Amino acid sequence: MIPYGKHNICDRDIEFVIEVLKNEFLTQGNRGVQFENKVASYTGAGYAISVNSATAALHAGCVGLGVQPGDLVWTSSNSFVASANAPMYCGAEVDFVDIDLSTRNIDIESLKEKLHKADLTGRLPKVLIPVHFSGLSCDMKQIFQLSRKYGFKILEDASHAIGAEYLDKKVGCCEYSDAAVFSFHPVKIVTTGEGGILLTNSEKLANKARKFRTHGITRSIEELELSSPGNWYYEMQSLGFNYRLNDLAAALGISQLDRLDAFVEQRNVLTRYYNDRLSNLGLSPQIITTEARSSCHLYTILLPQNRDKIFSYMTENGIGVNVHYIPIHKQPYWKKRCQSSLELPNTDEYYSKCMTIPLYPDLNMNDLEKVVTTLEDAVITYVA
Ligand SMILES: *Cc1c(COP(=O)(O)O)cnc(C)c1O
C-alpha cells in the first residue's frame, strides 16, 4: 500500500537520537532549548516553546491568551478536532466559520459577515484560530485587520505549515497573529515522533506558556511570589500540565529541520506534477494564493460524484487515500455542542467530495504513476 503520508528518517536523525540516549539527560537537558532556538530563528518568531504535541501547544496558546469559561473561540470546522478541542479544554464555547472551497481555508467574506452579526448581538469571539489547511496560509492580513476592528486575538493553527511562507515571510513569524503552532506528528512536514511548538513575539505569553507546560511551576527568581529559602526552591503558581517535549524528540527535530526546506521543495514539485497530470480530470485541487508558498502537506481533490466508491477503488488497488477532514461539527461530541442554526455549506460540500491522495517526499516515479493511472481509471469508471 502506498500511504497518503509518510515521514522520512535518515541515518543522521538516528545518530542524533542515539547520542541523547548516551547523555545524562533524556528530558529537560539542552536539546529542547536548541530545538526551540532553531525553530525561532528559522521562522523569525521572538519566542518558541516546545511541547509534546500541537494539541498541547494550542491549549497553551489558548490559556496564554486568557481563554476562560464563558469566552467564545472561533475556528474552521474543516480541520483536525484538536483545533476546537483546545479552547474547549479552557471551558470556552466554540463556533465555526465556513471555508472557501478553492483554498479550503477560512472564507474571509463569511468571517466578515459572522463578525458583523456577532457585533450586533454582543457575542464577539475572544480568539480566532485560523487553520492553514495543507500548509497554505490563510489571508492573515485581512484577518489581522478584522482582529483590530473587532478586538479578538489570533492563534494560528499552522500544524501543517512549517516551511510555508506568506508575503515572503515564514509562517510562524507571527507578524499578523498573537501566536502560532506547528505539529511534529510523523505525517506532518518534519517530525519528532510526537511534538509541537508554540511561537509568539510576546514575552509575557511565552513565559506563561513555559510555566503551563511544566505544571505551572517556575524556578525563576524574578517570578517568585514568596521569598526563596534556598536553591531547591520552586513555586507552583498556577495549574499547569506536563506537556514537555523530551530530549530524544527534540534531537530528532533538530536533525529533521536541516532537511525542512528540501522536504517542502520536493512536496511542491510533487504537487505541481499532480496538478499537471490530473489537470484534464476536473478535480479542483487546492488553489495556492499568490501571497503564499505552501508547504504542501496534503494533496486534496474534489470528486463531483461517487467519492466513496472511488475511495474504495483506490484502497483496493493499493493506494492509501484519506478524507481531510470529517468536519469537526459533524463529530458526535461536537454535534451536541453546536448551535442548531449553524450552517457551513462550503465545509459540508467540501466534505462530501474531498479525497486526499498520497503526498510525501519519498514518493517515487513508480508510485506517482500508479496513483495517477489508478485515479484516472476510477474517475473514468465512476464520474459521468
Ligand atoms: C495534526 C494536527 C493537529 C494536532 O497535532 P498533534 O501534534 O497531533 O497534537 C492540530 N491541528 C491540525 C490542523 C492538525 O493537522
Side-chain angles (χ1 to χ4, degrees):
M1 177 78 90
I2 302 172
Y4 85 87
K6 193 167 180 283
H7 56 268
N8 168 297
I9 299 291
C10 70
D11 288 345
R12 186 164 160 277
D13 293 340
I14 295 168
E15 282 163 24
F16 267 56
V17 175
I18 289 174
E19 197 241 339
V20 175
L21 284 167
K22 295 174 179 169
N23 280 354
E24 194 180 354
F25 296 105
L26 301 186
T27 189
Q28 294 173 284
N30 56 17
R31 288 295 181 253
V33 179
Q34 285 168 9
F35 181 53
E36 289 173 346
N37 290 342
K38 206 159 170 169
V39 178
S41 75
Y42 181 85
T43 55
Y47 305 91
I49 301 93
S50 63
V51 285
N52 54 21
S53 70
T55 307
L58 286 166
H59 189 190
C62 285
V63 168
L65 293 173
V67 175
Q68 288 172 7
D71 286 337
L72 190 55
V73 173
W74 289 2
T75 187
S76 170
S77 184
N78 179 35
S79 184
F80 184 57
V81 291
S83 308
N85 291 356
M88 193 56 119
Y89 299 154
C90 306
E93 203 181 305
V94 178
D95 199 359
F96 301 99
V97 187
D98 209 2
I99 57 165
D100 176 274
L101 270 176
S102 62
T103 64
R104 338 297 204 206
N105 279 337
I106 261 183
D107 176 54
I108 299 298
E109 288 315 308
S110 303
L111 177 61
K112 277 186 186 164
E113 233 173 81
K114 201 174 171 83
L115 283 166
H116 180 68
K117 281 190 195 150
D119 195 22
L120 295 176
T121 57
R123 275 294 274 163
L124 282 164
K126 181 168 203 168
V127 174
L128 175 72
I129 305 180
V131 180
H132 303 320
F133 186 90
S134 180
L136 170 65
S137 175
C138 295
D139 190 341
M140 292 309 296
K141 227 174 157 170
Q142 291 241 41
I143 291 173
F144 182 74
Q145 280 165 7
L146 290 167
S147 78
R148 290 290 136 132
K149 182 170 174 193
Y150 292 102
F152 59 86
K153 303 248 169 62
I154 303 169
L155 172 59
E156 296 172 76
D157 185 344
S159 290
H160 302 176
I162 190 168
E165 292 173 15
Y166 175 73
L167 293 174
D168 297 321
K169 288 197 174 147
K170 295 289 178 200
V171 169
C173 71
C174 302
E175 170 123 341
Y176 298 108
S177 70
D178 297 281
V181 314
F182 293 143
S183 170
F184 304 118
H185 182 278
V187 298
K188 306 290 163 71
I189 312 293
V190 288
T191 189
T192 61
E194 294 277 4
I197 207 160
L198 179 74
L199 300 152
T200 182
N201 292 316
S202 158
E203 188 182 1
K204 202 172 138 221
L205 177 56
N207 287 339
K208 246 175 133 173
R210 283 211 179 90
K211 243 194 281 185
F212 183 73
R213 75 169 165 194
T214 185
H215 312 276
I217 287 172
T218 182
R219 288 177 176 275
S220 146
I221 301 288
E222 309 91 73
E223 285 186 339
L224 296 181
E225 290 175 19
L226 307 174
S227 65
S228 171
N231 282 342
W232 68 87
Y233 189 67
Y234 62 82
E235 278 180 1
M236 180 193 144
Q237 299 174 329
S238 52
L239 187 62
F241 287 75
N242 181 350
Y243 277 165
R244 293 184 305 259
L245 186 73
N246 69 64
D247 279 43
L248 299 165
L252 177 56
I254 291 167
S255 178
Q256 287 258 309
L257 283 175
D258 288 337
R259 304 207 298 298
L260 169 58
D261 287 340
F263 289 158
V264 169
E265 177 54 27
Q266 183 61 8
R267 285 174 175 277
N268 272 273
V269 166
L270 295 172
T271 296
R272 284 195 296 269
Y273 178 86
Y274 276 145
N275 283 345
D276 256 23
R277 286 289 307 273
L278 302 174
S279 63
N280 55 358
L281 296 179
L283 301 178
S284 318
Q286 187 181 28
I287 303 293
I288 308 302
T289 51
T290 51
E291 316 89 75
R293 172 173 161 85
S294 175
S295 54
C296 299
H297 169 49
L298 303 168
Y299 195 90
T300 55
I301 55 175
L302 296 186
L303 296 159
Q305 284 167 279
N306 288 324
R307 189 266 315 270
D308 300 346
K309 285 191 180 137
I310 294 173
F311 193 101
S312 301
Y313 183 89
M314 296 298 283
T315 48
E316 279 156 20
N317 285 283
I319 313 289
V321 284
N322 214 319
V323 167
H324 292 96
Y325 286 95
I326 304 165
I328 301 172
H329 74 282
K330 302 260 189 206
Q331 296 290 353
Y333 173 89
W334 281 102
K335 240 180 171 153
K336 297 177 209 137
R337 286 159 179 86
C338 290
Q339 302 212 322
S340 55
S341 59
L342 179 66
E343 277 182 35
L344 303 168
N346 289 348
T347 305
D348 291 347
E349 182 181 343
Y350 174 78
Y351 172 50
S352 70
K353 297 177 177 172
C354 73
M355 189 172 81
T356 305
I357 64 174
L359 179 65
Y360 51 90
D362 288 342
L363 209 55
N364 62 37
M365 276 321 281
N366 281 340
D367 298 335
L368 281 168
E369 193 58 32
K370 193 173 171 203
V371 174
V372 168
T373 52
T374 311
L375 184 58
E376 279 169 348
D377 289 346
V379 170
I380 288 165
T381 311
Y382 295 110
V383 181

